[in-house]
Amino acid sequence: MTKAYQQIALMEWKTLSEVWKRRILAPFISGLDMFWPPDICKKLRRGDWTVQNHIDLHGLRVDPAREAVMQFLKASQKSGARCVRIVHGKGYGSEGGHSVLKEKVRRWLKQCDCVMAFAEAQEIDGGSGALIVLLKGLAHAPYSAPRP
């Protein structure tokens, strides 16, 4: 990409409204539904929401972990919890030293209708080994299991 092309692309990006920027970037930056206010993920990342429930997936393989996450989200939403933490681990104990569940959990959350947004947890809450998830209230969306 030439420098002139980069400058043109940057000028065009600056002309886009904030709504369109969020719609374009939301799937790549975090698990934010593009129609929710932009400060939701910022508040999740800052730790402004109180975690009301959590699950630890350490030691689980992919299929049992998916089932555990789906049951956890369903039970949490049913109990009225709005903010939950999912600890998927950093992958230090897995083969190759990378977290198998990290990307899987993010994919499952993006497919789940009960999830409003999610973001990586603060270091004190697990950092890159955990996600803070904001659930929709029961009136907004019923639970639906994502595809594997």
Coordinates of all heavy atoms in Angstrom, one line a residue, residues 51-57 65-79 81 83-87 109 114 131 133 135 143:
V51 N -19.1 -8.3 38.6 CA -19.3 -9.7 38.1 C -20.2 -10.4 39.1 O -19.9 -10.4 40.3 CB -17.9 -10.4 38.0 CG1 -18.1 -11.9 37.7 CG2 -17.0 -9.7 37.0
Q52 N -21.2 -11.0 38.6 CA -22.3 -11.6 39.5 C -22.2 -13.1 39.5 O -22.8 -13.8 40.3 CB -23.6 -11.2 39.0 CG -23.9 -9.7 39.1 CD -25.1 -9.2 38.4 OE1 -25.3 -9.6 37.2 NE2 -25.9 -8.5 39.1
N53 N -21.4 -13.7 38.6 CA -21.3 -15.2 38.5 C -20.0 -15.5 37.6 O -19.6 -14.6 36.8 CB -22.5 -15.8 37.8 CG -22.7 -17.2 38.2 OD1 -21.9 -17.8 38.8 ND2 -23.8 -17.8 37.7
H54 N -19.4 -16.6 37.8 CA -18.3 -17.0 37.0 C -18.2 -18.5 36.8 O -18.8 -19.3 37.6 CB -17.0 -16.4 37.6 CG -16.5 -17.2 38.8 ND1 -17.0 -16.9 40.1 CD2 -15.6 -18.2 39.0 CE1 -16.4 -17.7 40.9 NE2 -15.6 -18.5 40.3
I55 N -17.4 -18.8 35.8 CA -17.1 -20.3 35.5 C -15.7 -20.4 35.1 O -15.1 -19.5 34.4 CB -18.1 -20.8 34.3 CG1 -17.9 -22.3 34.2 CG2 -17.9 -20.0 33.1 CD1 -18.9 -22.9 33.2
D56 N -15.1 -21.5 35.5 CA -13.7 -21.7 35.2 C -13.6 -23.0 34.3 O -14.1 -24.0 34.7 CB -12.9 -22.0 36.5 CG -11.4 -22.0 36.3 OD1 -10.9 -22.3 35.1 OD2 -10.6 -21.8 37.2
L57 N -13.1 -22.8 33.1 CA -13.0 -23.9 32.1 C -11.7 -24.7 32.1 O -11.5 -25.5 31.3 CB -13.3 -23.4 30.7 CG -14.6 -22.6 30.6 CD1 -14.7 -22.0 29.2 CD2 -15.8 -23.5 30.9
A65 N -16.4 -28.0 27.3 CA -16.3 -26.6 27.6 C -17.5 -25.9 27.0 O -18.1 -25.0 27.6 CB -15.0 -26.0 27.2
R66 N -17.8 -26.2 25.7 CA -18.9 -25.5 25.1 C -20.2 -25.8 25.8 O -21.0 -24.8 26.1 CB -19.1 -25.9 23.6 CG -20.2 -25.2 22.9 CD -20.1 -25.5 21.4 NE -20.2 -26.8 21.0 CZ -21.3 -27.5 20.9 NH1 -22.5 -27.0 21.1 NH2 -21.3 -28.8 20.5
E67 N -20.5 -27.0 26.2 CA -21.7 -27.3 26.9 C -21.7 -26.6 28.3 O -22.8 -26.1 28.6 CB -21.7 -28.9 27.1 CG -23.0 -29.3 27.7 CD -24.2 -29.0 26.8 OE1 -24.1 -29.1 25.5 OE2 -25.3 -28.8 27.3
A68 N -20.6 -26.6 28.9 CA -20.5 -25.9 30.2 C -20.8 -24.4 30.1 O -21.6 -23.8 30.9 CB -19.2 -26.1 30.9
V69 N -20.3 -23.8 29.1 CA -20.5 -22.3 28.8 C -22.0 -22.1 28.5 O -22.6 -21.1 29.1 CB -19.6 -21.8 27.7 CG1 -20.0 -20.4 27.2 CG2 -18.1 -21.8 28.1
M70 N -22.6 -22.9 27.7 CA -24.0 -22.7 27.3 C -24.9 -22.9 28.5 O -25.8 -22.1 28.7 CB -24.4 -23.7 26.2 CG -23.7 -23.4 24.9 SD -23.8 -21.7 24.3 CE -22.1 -21.2 24.6
Q71 N -24.6 -23.9 29.3 CA -25.4 -24.1 30.5 C -25.2 -22.9 31.5 O -26.2 -22.5 32.1 CB -25.1 -25.4 31.2 CG -25.6 -26.6 30.4 CD -25.2 -27.9 31.1 OE1 -24.5 -28.0 32.1 NE2 -25.5 -29.0 30.4
F72 N -24.0 -22.5 31.6 CA -23.7 -21.4 32.5 C -24.4 -20.1 32.1 O -25.0 -19.4 32.9 CB -22.2 -21.2 32.5 CG -21.7 -19.9 33.2 CD1 -21.8 -19.7 34.6 CD2 -21.2 -18.8 32.5 CE1 -21.4 -18.6 35.2 CE2 -20.8 -17.7 33.1 CZ -20.9 -17.5 34.5
L73 N -24.3 -19.8 30.8 CA -25.0 -18.6 30.3 C -26.5 -18.6 30.5 O -27.1 -17.7 31.0 CB -24.7 -18.3 28.8 CG -23.2 -18.0 28.5 CD1 -23.0 -17.9 27.0 CD2 -22.8 -16.7 29.2
K74 N -27.1 -19.8 30.3 CA -28.5 -20.0 30.4 C -28.9 -19.8 31.9 O -29.9 -19.1 32.2 CB -28.9 -21.4 29.9 CG -30.4 -21.6 29.9 CD -30.7 -23.0 29.3 CE -32.2 -23.2 29.3 NZ -32.5 -24.5 28.7
A75 N -28.2 -20.5 32.8 CA -28.5 -20.4 34.2 C -28.3 -19.0 34.7 O -29.1 -18.5 35.5 CB -27.6 -21.4 35.0
S76 N -27.2 -18.3 34.3 CA -26.9 -16.9 34.7 C -28.0 -16.0 34.3 O -28.5 -15.1 35.1 CB -25.6 -16.5 34.2 OG -24.5 -17.3 34.8
Q77 N -28.4 -16.1 33.0 CA -29.5 -15.2 32.5 C -30.8 -15.5 33.3 O -31.5 -14.5 33.7 CB -29.6 -15.4 31.0 CG -30.6 -14.3 30.4 CD -30.8 -14.5 29.0 OE1 -30.9 -15.7 28.5 NE2 -30.8 -13.5 28.2
K78 N -31.1 -16.7 33.5 CA -32.3 -17.1 34.2 C -32.3 -16.6 35.6 O -33.4 -16.1 36.1 CB -32.5 -18.6 34.2 CG -33.8 -19.1 34.7 CD -34.0 -20.6 34.5 CE -35.3 -21.0 35.0 NZ -35.5 -22.5 34.8
S79 N -31.2 -16.5 36.3 CA -31.1 -16.0 37.6 C -31.1 -14.5 37.7 O -31.1 -14.0 38.8 CB -29.9 -16.6 38.3 OG -28.7 -16.0 37.8
A81 N -28.6 -12.5 36.5 CA -27.2 -12.0 36.4 C -27.1 -11.2 35.1 O -27.5 -11.7 34.0 CB -26.2 -13.1 36.5
C83 N -23.8 -9.5 34.4 CA -22.3 -9.5 34.1 C -21.7 -10.7 34.7 O -21.8 -11.0 35.9 CB -21.7 -8.2 34.7 SG -20.0 -8.1 34.3
V84 N -21.0 -11.5 33.9 CA -20.4 -12.8 34.3 C -19.0 -12.9 33.8 O -18.6 -12.2 32.8 CB -21.2 -14.0 33.8 CG1 -22.6 -14.0 34.4 CG2 -21.3 -14.1 32.3
R85 N -18.2 -13.7 34.4 CA -16.8 -13.9 34.0 C -16.6 -15.4 33.5 O -17.1 -16.3 34.2 CB -15.8 -13.6 35.1 CG -14.4 -13.8 34.7 CD -13.4 -13.5 35.8 NE -13.7 -14.0 37.1 CZ -13.9 -13.4 38.2 NH1 -13.8 -12.0 38.2 NH2 -14.2 -14.0 39.3
I86 N -16.0 -15.5 32.4 CA -15.7 -16.9 31.9 C -14.1 -17.0 31.8 O -13.5 -16.2 31.1 CB -16.3 -17.1 30.5 CG1 -17.8 -17.0 30.5 CG2 -15.8 -18.5 29.9 CD1 -18.5 -17.2 29.2
V87 N -13.6 -17.9 32.6 CA -12.1 -18.1 32.7 C -11.8 -19.2 31.7 O -12.2 -20.4 32.0 CB -11.7 -18.4 34.1 CG1 -10.2 -18.6 34.1 CG2 -12.0 -17.3 35.0
L109 N -19.6 -16.9 22.1 CA -20.3 -15.8 22.6 C -20.9 -14.9 21.5 O -21.9 -14.3 21.7 CB -19.3 -15.0 23.5 CG -18.9 -15.6 24.8 CD1 -17.9 -14.8 25.5 CD2 -20.0 -16.0 25.7
C114 N -28.1 -14.4 23.8 CA -28.2 -13.8 25.2 C -27.1 -12.9 25.5 O -27.1 -12.2 26.6 CB -28.4 -14.9 26.2 SG -26.9 -15.9 26.5
L131 N -12.8 -13.6 30.1 CA -13.6 -12.7 29.5 C -14.7 -12.2 30.4 O -15.2 -13.0 31.2 CB -14.3 -13.3 28.2 CG -13.4 -13.7 27.1 CD1 -14.2 -14.5 26.1 CD2 -12.8 -12.4 26.4
V133 N -18.4 -10.9 30.5 CA -19.6 -10.9 29.5 C -20.8 -10.2 30.1 O -21.1 -10.4 31.2 CB -19.9 -12.4 29.3 CG1 -21.1 -12.5 28.3 CG2 -18.7 -13.2 28.8
L135 N -24.7 -9.9 29.8 CA -25.8 -10.6 29.2 C -27.0 -9.6 29.0 O -27.2 -8.7 29.8 CB -26.2 -11.7 30.2 CG -25.2 -12.8 30.5 CD1 -25.7 -13.7 31.6 CD2 -24.8 -13.5 29.2
Y143 N -32.4 -17.3 25.4 CA -31.2 -18.1 25.2 C -31.3 -18.9 24.0 O -32.3 -19.5 23.6 CB -31.0 -19.0 26.4 CG -29.9 -20.0 26.2 CD1 -28.6 -19.7 26.4 CD2 -30.3 -21.3 25.8 CE1 -27.6 -20.7 26.1 CE2 -29.3 -22.3 25.6 CZ -28.0 -21.9 25.7 OH -27.0 -22.9 25.5

